[in-house]
Amino acid sequence: GVAALRSTAQPATGQLWAPPVTEISDKDMEVLMVHLGGKRLLNALRVAARSSDGTPAVLECYPLVPSKEAPGCKPFPTLFWLCHPGINAQVSELEFMGKIEAFKNRLQADAGEMGEMEAAHNRYAVDRYALLTAEDVTAVEKEGWAERLSTVGVGGMKSGGYVKCLHTHYAHFLARPDKGNLVGRWVHEELVRGGRHDPKPAAISGVK
């Protein structure tokens, strides 16, 4: 069951910290454990997008993850995690083809698109911080993590003119196609154009 797949760490203070209870079903968790090589999903909250056959494609993650060191947790800035091995491999192929640099150049050549991408980074940061409980907001502020979790966007970026990781952009686009992640949409278009998009993410995300 879920309880057997999730655990909290024992911090140096002796106090236990745990993220909010996951909404991921036992069935989905079992699939994810296989896809992720048995890795425990300590801060996965819910499935945010699925492939056309219903397999989890993107996970929404809590902004903190358990840690053995005080205060018992640490920042986890990746809000949406691309967890489908087939789709991950396809996106990695695009990176190998030089699409990170190509998309960066495309953004920097168009001030309007760069502004749109910067707005998407801002929305990502706002949505991430909004997941924190009131108690955890207090802890985050005390530890000096607030700026990192409330201002840094997709893939650790703030500027709309830079691209670091296509996987994080694509996960954001699939989970929240209404949030304006242009890079994520370009990844989607490249996958469809190249015939590499199988299985096709749909279902929860509504992406066609």
Side-chain angles (χ1 to χ4, degrees):
V2 172
L5 300 178
R6 294 171 61 88
S7 67
T8 55
Q10 180 72 44
T13 59
Q15 297 178 342
L16 288 174
W17 177 91
V21 177
T22 181
E23 298 175 11
I24 300 174
S25 70
D26 285 3
K27 181 179 179 180
D28 281 339
M29 190 68 82
E30 289 171 3
V31 171
L32 289 165
M33 288 286 286
V34 173
H35 284 179
L36 301 173
K39 182 183 295 185
R40 290 178 295 176
L41 305 171
L42 299 177
N43 66 328
L45 294 177
R46 60 188 62 87
V47 176
R50 296 178 183 272
S51 65
S52 56
D53 65 359
T55 302
V58 178
L59 296 175
E60 183 173 6
C61 299
Y62 197 67
L64 298 173
V65 67
S67 171
K68 293 182 179 180
E69 299 180 359
C73 59
K74 59 184 178 181
F76 191 91
T78 303
L79 177 58
F80 297 110
W81 182 11
L82 193 63
C83 60
H84 191 291
I87 300 172
N88 264 314
Q90 294 167 13
V91 176
S92 293
E93 183 180 349
L94 292 182
E95 291 186 339
F96 181 76
M97 292 167 59
K99 293 300 179 180
I100 290 178
E101 185 71 14
F103 292 158
K104 183 192 77 171
N105 292 339
R106 182 172 174 180
L107 286 170
Q108 293 182 354
D110 188 313
E113 290 186 336
M114 190 160 60
E116 286 183 50
M117 194 61 240
E118 188 161 333
H121 282 303
N122 291 337
R123 285 189 284 268
Y124 187 94
V126 168
D127 289 346
R128 178 205 294 126
Y129 208 73
L131 284 178
L132 291 168
T133 65
E135 182 178 4
D136 284 342
V137 167
T138 299
V140 162
E141 293 175 347
K142 179 180 178 181
E143 295 297 323
W145 300 333
E147 181 176 359
R148 180 180 178 188
L149 291 178
S150 65
T151 66
V152 175
V154 184
M157 298 288 101
K158 288 185 179 182
S159 169
Y162 291 91
V163 181
K164 182 178 180 182
C165 174
L166 298 187
H167 298 79
T168 53
H169 282 282
Y170 195 37
H172 186 213
F173 171 73
L174 292 178
R176 298 289 186 271
D178 60 332
K179 295 293 185 176
N181 192 318
L182 292 178
V183 173
R185 178 170 290 280
W186 294 342
V187 170
H188 184 74
E189 292 170 351
E190 287 285 341
L191 293 178
V192 172
R193 185 181 302 116
R196 294 181 291 270
H197 203 233
D198 183 28
K200 180 168 126 179
I204 291 175
S205 68
V207 176
K208 304 300 181 184

